[in-house]
Amino acid sequence: MGSIKAWETLALALAIFFGIRLLTAPTDNRMLPLRFLPTRVARLQIPGQAMRPRLRPAQRKFQSNVYKVTSESVDRMVSTYDTILGNEKDLQGPPRLPNFRKTAAENWRDSVFSVKTATSVPGIDAINEEGTATLETLTLPNKKQEPFRHLSLRRIFNNRFAYSSGSVDAKMLKRYQQRETEGYQLVFVDGEYSEDLSVVGSLPQGVYVGGLASCPPEIREKVHEKARVVPQDIYGSEYWATLNKAMLKDIAVVYVPEGVTVEDHIQFTFYTSSSGNTKGTVSFPRMVIISEKESDATVLVNHMGEMGTKYYSAPVTTVDVGFDAHMTVYYHQHQSLSAMHTEVINATVEEDGHFKWVGMLTGASVGRINMDVDLIGEDAEAEVYGASICSEGLELDMHAFIRVGPAFSSCDLFIVVVSFETTYSITVTTLFPSKSTGRLWGQSRMGYSEGRY
C-alpha cells in the first residue's frame, strides 16, 4: 500500500509541476512535446487543413521534435509533413494520398479546352469568360441525370482532341450548296467565318448576313445580348449551350429589319475540318437570327465535316421572330458517321409571328438535338417538321419542348424516324393552355400516330 501511495504522490507532484509550468509560461511561447499530444492532434487533424497520413516507422523520429502550439507552428508542422511526403528517399513506398484520378468526362472537358484558340472578333472574349465561369458551376452530364439516360455519353467522353487543320473539301462543300442560294452562300469553318469561301450578293437595305466582325455596331449589340443568354435547362440544354458559350470563336448573324422581305434564300454552311491525325477536332458554331417586326426571310443551314473523320460539333442557334414576322429555317445535319453532334435550338415567337423549321438528320455517330420553342404572343405560330435516317450503329437522341403561352397560339410538329438496327429516342413535350390548338404527329419504324390538343 505504501508503494502505491508513493507512486500516486509522485504522479500528482509531476502533474502539478508541469501544470504550473504550462500555465505560467507566456501564451505565445508554451512548449509541448508532440509525443505528449493526443493522437488526433499528432496526426494534424486541424480545422482547415487536410488529413495527413500516419508516419511510417522510418519517419517516427520527427515525433520527438518539440513544436510551438501556435498558428505559426501549425504551418511549420504542415510544411514539414509535406516535405517528408515529397521526399521519396525517406519513404518506404508511395504515400497514402487520396485518389485524385479524373473521370473520363473531366478528361474530355480538359481536352476540349486544351485546343481552344484565340479570336480577334470583337466581344467574343467577354462572352467566353462568362461561359467559362458558369461552366465551372455546372455538373458534367452523366447517366444518372434523366436528360442523358438515352444518350451514349461514353462515345462522346472517350474522345481526345487536337488542333484542327482548317482544310476544307471544296468539292464536297460545293455538292451540298443549293443552286437557289448561289448568290448568298456563307461558310463557317470550325466556327469562324470564311470570307474566301463565302459569296454574298446584294441584299435589301438594312439586312445583314455574315460574321460578327463586320456586323454594324447597332446590330452587334443586339447579337451580343442574344448570345449571352443561355437557353433554359430543358433536357440538359444548359450544359451544352454553356460549353458553346465558353468556346465559340465567332457568331453567324442573320438580321432582317422591320418591314423588309428577303426574296432570295440565304444558305449557311458550318464545316468542321480534321486534325490530320487520329485525334478528333472540335467546333462550336453559334448562330443568331433576328427577324424584326413584319419581316420575312428564309434561311438554309447545313452542318457537315470531312467524311470519315472524327470530330465533335456543338452548335447553338437562337431565333427571335418579332411581331407579325415570318422566319423559315431549312436544316440539314449530315456530319461524318464518326462524328459526335450535340445541338441546342431556341426560338421565341412574338404576337402574330410565324416560325417554321424543317430538318433532316442523316449523320453523326451520336446525335443529340434539343429544340425549345416559346410562343409568347397571341396568335403566334410554330411549325416543326423533322426527319431522321439512321444506319446501323448510330445513336439518335432528339427532344422538343414547345410552350404555347397565350390564347389562340398554335403549333404543328411532325417527326419521322427511319432506322435500321440503331438506337433512337424521341421526346416531345407540349404545353397547351385553354383556347390554344396544336397537332402532333410521329412516325417511327413504319408506325404512325396522331394526337390533337
Side-chain angles (χ1 to χ4, degrees), residues 6-267:
W7 280 109
E8 290 178 349
T9 304
L10 179 61
L12 179 62
L14 289 173
I16 294 174
F17 172 77
F18 282 110
I20 294 175
R21 184 178 178 183
L22 178 63
L23 295 175
T24 56
T27 304
D28 294 335
N29 294 321
R30 292 178 183 175
M31 310 288 283
L32 283 178
L34 185 62
R35 62 177 178 273
F36 291 153
L37 295 178
T39 303
R40 290 187 177 183
V41 177
R43 291 183 64 197
L44 294 184
Q45 189 176 359
I46 301 168
Q49 298 290 341
M51 177 68 73
R52 303 294 173 178
R54 290 181 179 276
L55 293 177
R56 299 177 183 276
Q59 303 162 353
R60 287 177 181 169
K61 61 181 180 179
F62 289 92
Q63 289 184 322
S64 62
N65 289 346
V66 178
Y67 294 88
K68 291 183 179 180
V69 186
T70 62
S71 59
E72 292 81 4
S73 66
V74 170
D75 293 337
R76 284 198 298 272
M77 285 190 287
V78 172
S79 176
T80 301
Y81 274 66
D82 289 338
T83 302
I84 296 171
L85 295 176
N87 189 350
E88 297 181 358
K89 295 181 180 179
D90 295 338
L91 292 178
Q92 296 179 355
R96 299 174 183 176
L97 295 176
N99 184 12
F100 293 109
R101 184 178 180 182
K102 291 186 178 181
T103 64
E106 291 172 333
N107 287 325
W108 172 85
R109 180 191 57 196
D110 294 344
S111 181
V112 169
F113 277 93
S114 69
V115 295
K116 179 177 173 58
T117 57
T119 178
S120 59
V121 179
I124 294 297
D125 288 339
I127 296 176
N128 289 159
E129 291 175 1
E130 291 180 10
T132 303
T134 305
L135 198 66
E136 293 176 354
T137 65
L138 301 180
T139 303
L140 280 159
N142 59 76
K143 284 290 186 179
K144 295 182 179 179
Q145 300 170 345
E146 179 62 25
F148 305 109
R149 287 197 308 113
H150 300 288
L151 181 65
S152 181
L153 294 172
R154 180 177 297 179
R155 283 195 182 186
I156 296 177
F157 292 151
N158 282 345
N159 289 278
R160 299 297 177 263
F161 304 105
Y163 290 102
S164 59
S165 61
S167 60
V168 177
D169 187 342
K171 292 183 179 180
M172 177 184 174
L173 188 67
K174 190 69 176 178
R175 186 165 64 248
Y176 284 96
Q177 290 178 332
Q178 304 298 320
R179 294 180 179 178
E180 294 81 0
T181 63
E182 286 185 355
Y184 307 92
Q185 296 174 344
L186 297 94
V187 179
F188 285 72
V189 179
D190 300 325
E192 287 187 286
Y193 179 60
S194 174
E195 189 173 355
D196 296 336
L197 298 174
S198 301
V199 178
V200 182
S202 60
L203 293 167
Q205 185 175 3
V207 176
Y208 177 78
V209 295
L212 187 63
S214 303
C215 192
E218 61 276 9
I219 300 177
R220 186 183 303 163
E221 293 180 5
K222 296 182 179 181
V223 174
H224 281 169
E225 182 181 352
K226 300 293 181 183
R228 280 191 163 91
V229 177
V230 174
Q232 298 185 37
D233 192 18
I234 305 299
Y235 300 121
S237 297
E238 184 179 13
Y239 186 85
W240 307 120
T242 305
L243 180 63
N244 179 284
K245 184 178 179 180
M247 293 292 295
L248 66 90
K249 297 187 288 186
D250 201 348
I251 301 176
V253 181
V254 177
Y255 179 79
V256 185
E258 179 179 343
V260 175
T261 298
V262 181
E263 299 291 345
D264 298 299
H265 294 180
I266 303 169
Q267 182 173 1

Side-chain angles (χ1 to χ4, degrees), residues 173-400:
L173 188 67
K174 190 69 176 178
R175 186 165 64 248
Y176 284 96
Q177 290 178 332
Q178 304 298 320
R179 294 180 179 178
E180 294 81 0
T181 63
E182 286 185 355
Y184 307 92
Q185 296 174 344
L186 297 94
V187 179
F188 285 72
V189 179
D190 300 325
E192 287 187 286
Y193 179 60
S194 174
E195 189 173 355
D196 296 336
L197 298 174
S198 301
V199 178
V200 182
S202 60
L203 293 167
Q205 185 175 3
V207 176
Y208 177 78
V209 295
L212 187 63
S214 303
C215 192
E218 61 276 9
I219 300 177
R220 186 183 303 163
E221 293 180 5
K222 296 182 179 181
V223 174
H224 281 169
E225 182 181 352
K226 300 293 181 183
R228 280 191 163 91
V229 177
V230 174
Q232 298 185 37
D233 192 18
I234 305 299
Y235 300 121
S237 297
E238 184 179 13
Y239 186 85
W240 307 120
T242 305
L243 180 63
N244 179 284
K245 184 178 179 180
M247 293 292 295
L248 66 90
K249 297 187 288 186
D250 201 348
I251 301 176
V253 181
V254 177
Y255 179 79
V256 185
E258 179 179 343
V260 175
T261 298
V262 181
E263 299 291 345
D264 298 299
H265 294 180
I266 303 169
Q267 182 173 1
F268 283 78
T269 299
F270 298 96
Y271 187 96
T272 303
S273 65
S274 65
S275 62
N277 54 44
T278 56
K279 288 188 176 182
T281 58
V282 296
S283 179
F284 295 89
R286 186 68 168 95
M287 190 172 192
V288 175
I289 300 175
I290 302 176
S291 184
E292 298 284 12
K293 176 181 178 182
E294 298 177 347
S295 62
D296 193 348
T298 300
V299 178
L300 283 68
V301 178
N302 285 350
H303 289 281
M304 59 188 298
E306 186 174 337
M307 292 293 101
T309 60
K310 184 184 298 185
Y311 54 86
Y312 172 65
S313 178
V316 174
T317 301
T318 300
V319 183
D320 190 3
V321 182
F323 171 79
D324 198 22
H326 290 71
M327 176 55 65
T328 301
V329 177
Y330 293 100
Y331 171 95
H332 188 192
Q333 185 267 96
H334 46 102
Q335 305 280 21
S336 166
L337 297 183
S338 300
M340 280 67 64
H341 184 91
T342 59
E343 183 166 5
V344 177
I345 302 173
N346 177 255
T348 303
V349 187
E350 298 182 10
E351 181 180 354
D352 291 324
H354 184 90
F355 171 65
K356 182 178 180 180
W357 186 87
V358 181
M360 173 69 74
L361 289 74
T362 59
S365 173
V366 178
R368 171 66 175 265
I369 292 183
N370 286 354
M371 175 173 285
D372 182 16
V373 181
D374 196 359
L375 307 180
I376 62 175
E378 292 188 4
D379 295 323
E381 298 176 343
E383 297 178 74
V384 178
Y385 305 98
S388 301
I389 301 177
C390 310
S391 60
E392 183 178 356
L394 305 186
E395 296 190 17
L396 169 67
D397 200 8
M398 186 173 182
H399 299 275

